[in-house]
Amino acid sequence: MASVAFNHVTKKFGDTSVLNGLDLEVADGEFLVLLGPSGCGKTTALRMVAGLESPTTGTVAIGGSVVNDVAPQHRDVAMVFQNYALYPHLSVAKNIEFPLRQRDISADIRAQKVRDVAQMLGLAELLDRKPRQLSGGQRQRVALARAIVREPVCFLMDEPLSNLDATLRARTRSEIVRLQHELATTTIFVTHDQVEAMTMGDRIAVLNAGDLQQVGTPTELFENPANAFVAGFIGNPGMSLLSANASQGQLAIGGTQTPFSASGLNGAVTIGVRIDGVELSSSGIAAICDGVEVLGAEVHVLAHLGDDQIIVRQGASAPRPKIGEQIFIQLTTEPLYFDAVTGLRVSQ
Ligand SMILES: Nc1ncnc2c1ncn2[C@@H]1O[C@H](COP(=O)(O)OP(=O)(O)OP(=O)(O)O)[C@@H](O)[C@H]1O
Ligand SMILES: [Mg+2]
């Protein structure tokens, strides 16, 4: 087991900057989720730890030692890919055993290790099958087993659940968390799914366009987003972000005064409100309904004011607004405030 550190890592492909000075430390035994939208540089960062890509500048360290010049096979990390990458002509047992064959381990011990890890992952009955005779979830478990059997110092997982259906994904999520706690192996888990990140990570590192936005526990990111991007990305749904104006101790949204003073702020500001902090009303901030989502017990009304989107919860029996209809919204709790230009959180 070992810590992993990115020290001011940049990565360019030609003229394209993919990572802009990433500083990030993953503690020994920690489960860190690297979260961000498609194309933000997650896979590139992970591949640099595996040694499949090298930094343009900066260093990657494993267990305190810089590994920039260490070949992938000497890094002792195990990567699990989205597409599983199993050998189709080998049985489940041979697939799991594969990484051990390059090592000086007797056949008996290899077989024992394969049996142990297969037991751990509920694969004991499937050892003689070929990958094509398995379901997607079972293939995913074989890929995990193959990583675990190596007893690496670090697991690198690149969206390993994205090919699974929703039910299986939720179950595998908790299985991976349980295994990781049991093995206490440092893990970097890449995903663009914030629900996955919130439910799995000890900490989450949020990346956007090659820039690290914030690192923290799920609760810290949810309650204390450092900027508007994190506020809008984290949470189900994320915060609604609205342009507002503060002047002389008054806060106006779309020309309507709110009950909040935004004291100390002046001029254009972006406010962030969670779905619990707004309600439909007979008067207040005017918005246009874009649609209604019935999610079982919850009903969400999606609306816009100018270019800003907002989501409001509605009672199950309340009359549903129609698309294009004007609705009115009131803030019920103090919003968070962000700089209108930089998006950084501003205190009042
Ligand atoms: N070998 C390469 N050559 C040129 N550009 C690349 C290369 N690999 C990645 N990129 C670019 O770098 C950016 C980041 O890619 P990366 O695969 O790290 O994103 P990601 O965050 O993993 O996205 P996704 O969630 O879609 O997997 C993308 O714009 C991608 O097109
Ligand atoms: Mg990727």
Side-chain angles (χ1 to χ4, degrees), residues 236-238 273-279 298-300 311-313:
N236 193 18
V273 282
R274 291 250 172 244
I275 194 164
D276 302 306
V278 283
E279 62 185 21
E298 292 225 339
V299 178
H300 290 176
I311 303 182
V312 191
R313 191 177 286 137

Side-chain angles (χ1 to χ4, degrees), residues 18-95:
V18 174
L19 287 174
N20 311 317
L22 177 61
D23 282 309
L24 179 62
E25 283 203 29
V26 188
D28 189 4
E30 184 177 20
F31 194 123
L32 181 111
V33 177
L34 199 52
L35 172 71
S38 185
C40 71
K42 305 179 296 293
T43 296
T44 305
L46 207 61
R47 285 170 61 83
M48 287 199 268
V49 180
L52 303 171
E53 213 67 80
S54 35
T56 305
T57 61
T59 58
V60 175
I62 300 177
S65 306
V66 172
V67 292
N68 285 35
D69 297 325
V70 178
Q73 63 271 28
H74 296 132
R75 292 196 184 191
D76 205 10
V77 301
M79 190 143 166
V80 181
F81 300 90
Q82 176 181 343
N83 61 8
Y84 321 142
L86 301 178
Y87 299 103
H89 57 288
L90 296 183
S91 67
V92 167
K94 295 283 181 207
N95 262 286

Side-chain angles (χ1 to χ4, degrees), residues 37-342:
S38 185
C40 71
K42 305 179 296 293
T43 296
T44 305
L46 207 61
R47 285 170 61 83
M48 287 199 268
V49 180
L52 303 171
E53 213 67 80
S54 35
T56 305
T57 61
T59 58
V60 175
I62 300 177
S65 306
V66 172
V67 292
N68 285 35
D69 297 325
V70 178
Q73 63 271 28
H74 296 132
R75 292 196 184 191
D76 205 10
V77 301
M79 190 143 166
V80 181
F81 300 90
Q82 176 181 343
N83 61 8
Y84 321 142
L86 301 178
Y87 299 103
H89 57 288
L90 296 183
S91 67
V92 167
K94 295 283 181 207
N95 262 286
I96 298 174
E97 186 195 15
F98 196 83
L100 300 179
R101 294 188 73 96
Q102 284 109 323
R103 297 189 194 168
D104 188 19
I105 302 176
S106 76
D108 283 354
I109 293 180
R110 287 206 303 264
Q112 186 60 48
K113 283 181 184 285
V114 170
R115 275 198 301 275
D116 287 350
V117 73
Q119 194 68 42
M120 189 189 276
L121 286 166
L123 294 168
E125 309 301 316
L126 305 174
L127 286 171
D128 295 328
R129 295 218 196 152
K130 296 279 170 56
R132 70 183 143 76
Q133 299 167 309
L134 301 176
S135 71
Q138 291 165 338
R139 280 180 219 173
Q140 186 54 61
R141 294 216 293 276
V142 177
L144 279 174
R146 192 175 51 182
I148 291 170
V149 81
R150 292 176 54 178
E151 299 173 30
V153 297
C154 171
F155 291 124
L156 306 173
M157 302 192 183
D158 194 359
E159 313 233 13
L161 307 183
S162 47
N163 289 352
L164 305 181
D165 68 49
T167 315
L168 197 54
R169 200 181 317 156
R171 207 165 65 213
T172 315
R173 220 156 58 196
S174 52
E175 210 163 78
I176 291 181
V177 170
R178 180 184 58 80
L179 278 171
Q180 198 271 344
H181 277 257
E182 211 169 293
L183 300 166
T185 305
T186 313
T187 300
I188 307 180
F189 184 104
V190 160
T191 182
H192 61 265
D193 179 349
Q194 65 86 28
V195 175
E196 223 162 83
M198 294 293 277
T199 51
M200 296 181 82
D202 293 328
R203 287 188 309 155
I204 303 172
V206 183
L207 204 58
N208 184 34
D211 290 315
L212 185 63
Q213 306 289 309
Q214 189 173 3
V215 190
T217 64
T219 309
E220 281 165 0
L221 297 193
F222 185 80
E223 290 180 352
N224 256 321
N227 59 40
F229 178 83
V230 174
F233 202 74
I234 294 280
N236 193 18
M239 276 192 167
S240 297
L241 299 167
L242 306 175
S243 317
N245 214 288
S247 104
Q248 297 170 345
Q250 302 269 331
L251 181 71
I253 303 167
T256 306
Q257 300 298 329
T258 72
F260 300 100
S261 66
S263 55
L265 296 179
N266 219 337
V269 65
T270 299
I271 67 156
V273 282
R274 291 250 172 244
I275 194 164
D276 302 306
V278 283
E279 62 185 21
L280 289 179
S281 174
S282 54
S283 65
I285 304 157
I288 304 296
C289 173
D290 292 326
V292 177
E293 288 180 344
V294 181
L295 311 164
E298 292 225 339
V299 178
H300 290 176
V301 176
L302 285 59
H304 72 271
L305 352 15
D307 292 336
D308 301 330
Q309 316 282 320
I310 185 161
I311 303 182
V312 191
R313 191 177 286 137
Q314 199 187 24
S317 57
R320 311 257 156 83
K322 296 190 177 53
I323 295 174
E325 190 180 325
Q326 179 164 273
I327 57 172
F328 294 98
I329 294 165
Q330 300 227 335
L331 303 192
T332 54
T333 50
E334 176 91 30
L336 298 187
Y337 298 94
F338 303 97
D339 187 287
V341 178
T342 64

